[in-house]
Amino acid sequence: MLTYLLITLIIFFGHSEDLLGTTLLSRPLVLAPLVGGALGDWHQGIVIGASLELIFMGNIKVGAAIPPDVVTGGVLGTAFAIMSGKGVGIALALAIPISILAEMLLSALFVARSVLNKSFSRHAGVGDWRGVQRLHVLSGFAKPLLMAVVGFLALQLGAGVMKAFLDRIPAWVNTGLQVAGNLLPALGFALLMNLLFHKRVAPYFFLGFLLAAYLKLPLIAIGGLGVIIAFLVTQEKPKPAVEEEEASSEYERGSPANDRTPALNKRDLRRIFWRSMLLEANFNFETWQNTGFAFAILPVLKKFYPSKESMSAALQRHLQLFNTSTYGCTLILGLTAAMEEQNSRDPEFDAESIDSVKLGLMGPLAGVFDSLFWGTLKIIAAGVGTSLALKGNGLGVVLFILLFNVPHLLLRYRLTFIGYKAGTRFLMQLSKNNVMDRLKEGAAILGLMVVGAMPATLMNIHTPLSFGEGAGLQGVLDQIVPALLPLGLTFLTYYFIKRGVKTTVLLLGLLALGFLGSILHWII
């Protein structure tokens, strides 16, 4: 019973991601080793976590798309596999259907949360910021509690039955599932390509592949080269000195930082930063992150709008639809804080401009920060982490967390202050110099180089077929292009994604292809 409670707590912790700022602590690479520890087998948990991470590497929530629930699927799949002693193949086979079923529950929850919008509006209508705050936090705990209950019931009712069933599976089935598991990472890589791949930066994918396939460079070295190349490619030609001086003086004359004495101190801005971690606690399909934005900006509203009437207007203003990257949200929050301060001081200030700026920035910033974090930092962190964890090295888990979250949290923190101090003209200056476009392009270059290297370094697909008694087919393929099979499978999966085939269908299709290929001795 104690073991089941520990695993249930791991599910609760994983589903608390929306309360923890999307820090990737919910990934299989992190949770599976915890499950292994609870069951007394850290090593197996680390290896299973790395294998699941490769499969679900492209399993990310962008916009309103809800991917399979890798938390519940990964935790229960790992638990059942270790308890039965069947290993990685069974973990992969169980994690996929469980994650798909759990996704249906989560989708229903996100739809149900839309009903709460009326309650939020009612609290806002009377200026009740405490009601808005309380409802947002409580809604954030609904998902981890729901899925923890589901996980506990699955363990209580299904662990014994599942173990008995798995013990009867013949060895050839386990082998087939192991081979299928080697094919499944192609889906994760293809999903990442779908996020980053376009004609202008496509060559960098193949550059990363060639560096890994022919020169055998590790992922961290390819990532380092990618940083250098991205910096060189996106460098802007120097502007004439006169033009730079004029732009600088115009910015200084118009900067809000020079027009006002700041009313918010560092403590106020730090509170915005910490509250931004709960941006998606009440994520729903109708207004997305609106209550999270209102929750994060509350310290500012409380300071500038003491009356019920002014607080009501401000709350209603920020309960409009909002959706952007969680990693860049503090830039908009800081900027909004500066505008709310100006609105509270200047009766002539147009309050509607606050909504206009928020809506205008949320799309472009989402594109930049999703590319930077989902398409670059996460790929590098996962590549380094899984390459170590597949060998049973727990350092891979630690590096995965640090490589992603050290830059994430530092940047997120600093953007709060930049947004507040610099104001709109700073962002206009960035737009004029194409900084955002260059940052997005550089992130795509770096991300694609690392993604391109992954099929050659993290996928293990071979064929035992031969031409009569002559050379084997694998040897011929290696002479043409090393790691050609992983590369070809990744592009085939990417093709189907572009054709609109659902992720669930592709997961099951790859699983069936690997299993059938193993039975027919086409793939090993």
Side-chain angles (χ1 to χ4, degrees):
M1 178 62 72
L2 178 60
T3 300
Y4 290 172
L5 286 174
L6 288 174
I7 295 173
T8 301
L9 287 174
I10 293 170
I11 294 176
F12 181 91
F13 171 72
H15 278 293
S16 299
E17 175 88 331
D18 293 340
L19 299 167
L20 300 171
T22 321
T23 45
L24 300 193
L25 297 178
S26 64
R27 302 300 301 178
L29 190 56
V30 177
L31 298 183
L34 296 180
V35 176
L39 293 171
D41 194 342
W42 285 100
H43 182 272
Q44 187 76 345
I46 292 168
V47 174
I48 291 175
S51 301
L52 287 172
E53 188 64 45
L54 287 177
I55 295 171
F56 293 106
M57 188 172 290
N59 201 69
I60 56 178
K61 185 173 73 175
V62 177
I66 306 301
D69 176 19
V70 68
V71 174
T72 307
V75 169
L76 292 180
T78 302
F80 290 143
I82 293 178
M83 285 189 288
S84 66
K86 295 295 182 179
V88 176
I90 290 297
L92 303 181
L94 294 176
I96 292 170
I98 293 172
S99 65
I100 293 170
L101 291 172
E103 173 199 357
M104 298 177 185
L105 281 176
L106 290 180
S107 296
L109 174 64
F110 293 142
V111 171
R113 275 179 175 171
S114 300
V115 178
L116 291 177
N117 286 332
K118 292 182 179 179
S119 299
F120 279 103
S121 297
R122 185 169 61 252
H123 288 302
V126 295
D128 180 13
W129 62 265
R130 290 185 178 85
V132 170
Q133 177 173 270
R134 181 171 57 251
L135 196 57
H136 178 74
V137 174
L138 289 175
S139 179
F141 280 102
K143 184 171 78 164
L145 284 172
L146 171 65
M147 301 314 295
V149 170
V150 170
F152 183 74
L153 291 175
L155 289 166
Q156 281 285 92
L157 302 176
V161 175
M162 185 65 70
K163 186 178 186 304
F165 170 73
L166 295 177
D167 286 342
R168 296 179 181 177
I169 294 177
W172 62 270
V173 174
N174 283 330
T175 303
L177 291 173
Q178 188 69 53
V179 172
N182 292 335
L183 270 60
L184 291 175
L187 178 60
F189 304 155
L191 287 169
L192 292 173
M193 287 174 63
N194 193 44
L195 180 68
L196 299 170
F197 201 85
H198 58 84
K199 184 168 63 176
R200 180 176 173 83
V201 295
Y204 298 100
F205 175 92
F206 297 101
L207 175 59
F209 175 80
L210 293 174
L211 290 172
Y214 285 95
L215 300 182
K216 308 299 182 184
L217 291 181
L219 282 172
I220 195 165
I222 294 173
L225 286 172
V227 171
I228 296 170
I229 292 172
F231 177 76
L232 294 174
V233 169
T234 58
Q235 268 194 324
E236 190 179 35
K237 293 181 180 179
K239 292 185 177 181
V242 175
E243 183 180 344
E244 285 187 352
E245 186 176 336
E246 288 176 355
S248 176
S249 61
E250 178 185 352
Y251 168 70
E252 289 174 0
R253 286 195 302 270
S255 172
N258 294 304
D259 293 343
R260 59 181 169 83
T261 302
L264 298 178
N265 54 37
K266 289 184 178 181
R267 180 174 177 271
D268 296 324
L269 295 174
R270 279 196 291 266
R271 291 178 68 192
I272 294 175
F273 160 73
W274 286 115
R275 282 171 165 259
S276 78
M277 306 294 276
L278 281 75
L279 183 72
E280 294 201 317
N282 183 51
F283 179 88
N284 64 88
F285 286 144
E286 184 178 354
T287 50
W288 296 349
Q289 302 164 338
N290 67 327
T291 64
F293 193 96
F295 174 82
I297 203 72
L298 260 179
V300 175
L301 305 186
K302 287 160 58 180
K303 192 163 190 174
F304 295 143
Y305 303 114
S307 69
K308 290 281 187 181
E309 293 76 13
S310 59
M311 174 61 77
S312 174
L315 284 173
Q316 292 181 74
R317 181 161 56 245
H318 293 299
L319 285 178
Q320 302 304 311
L321 181 146
F322 183 80
N323 191 40
T324 195
S325 169
T326 56
Y327 306 112
C329 68
T330 51
L331 184 59
I332 302 179
L333 282 164
L335 175 56
T336 302
M339 297 184 75
E340 288 290 2
E341 179 182 330
Q342 187 68 17
N343 182 54
S344 68
R345 291 179 169 187
D346 183 2
E348 302 299 321
F349 187 86
D350 182 10
E352 292 183 2
S353 65
I354 300 175
D355 283 334
S356 299
V357 169
K358 283 173 56 182
L359 292 173
L361 288 175
M362 69 181 193
L365 289 183
V368 171
F369 285 97
D370 280 344
S371 296
L372 180 62
F373 284 93
W374 289 128
T376 306
L377 272 178
K378 178 180 178 292
I379 295 171
I380 294 172
V384 172
T386 52
S387 61
L388 290 172
L390 283 170
K391 302 171 185 176
N393 190 339
L395 182 61
V397 180
V398 177
L399 286 176
F400 171 71
I401 296 171
L402 293 179
L403 285 174
F404 186 85
N405 282 304
V406 170
H408 157 215
L409 295 174
L410 287 176
L411 181 61
R412 189 171 187 155
Y413 179 79
R414 289 302 306 156
L415 286 176
T416 315
F417 293 83
I418 291 172
Y420 176 66
K421 292 179 180 179
T424 54
R425 290 190 179 272
F426 172 75
L427 298 177
M428 289 170 63
Q429 195 72 12
L430 291 181
S431 177
K432 182 187 294 186
N433 293 331
N434 296 319
V435 171
M436 292 299 188
D437 291 338
R438 288 187 285 130
L439 180 60
K440 188 174 181 179
E441 182 181 6
I445 290 171
L446 174 55
L448 274 177
M449 282 189 63
V450 177
V451 173
M454 284 180 172
T457 55
L458 298 178
M459 288 183 72
N460 185 24
I461 307 176
H462 297 89
T463 177
L465 296 177
S466 60
F467 302 102
E469 297 182 359
L473 177 58
Q474 185 63 53
V476 175
L477 293 176
D478 287 342
Q479 290 179 20
I480 299 171
V481 177
L484 183 59
L485 285 179
L487 179 67
L489 184 62
T490 299
F491 265 95
L492 180 63
T493 309
Y494 173 66
Y495 168 79
F496 284 118
I497 289 174
K498 298 302 287 186
R499 299 280 295 192
V501 179
K502 292 185 177 180
T503 303
T504 301
V505 175
L506 290 172
L507 267 175
L508 297 177
L510 286 169
L511 194 62
L513 176 64
F515 194 76
L516 184 62
S518 173
I519 293 174
L520 298 175
H521 300 289
W522 292 349
I523 308 172
I524 57 174

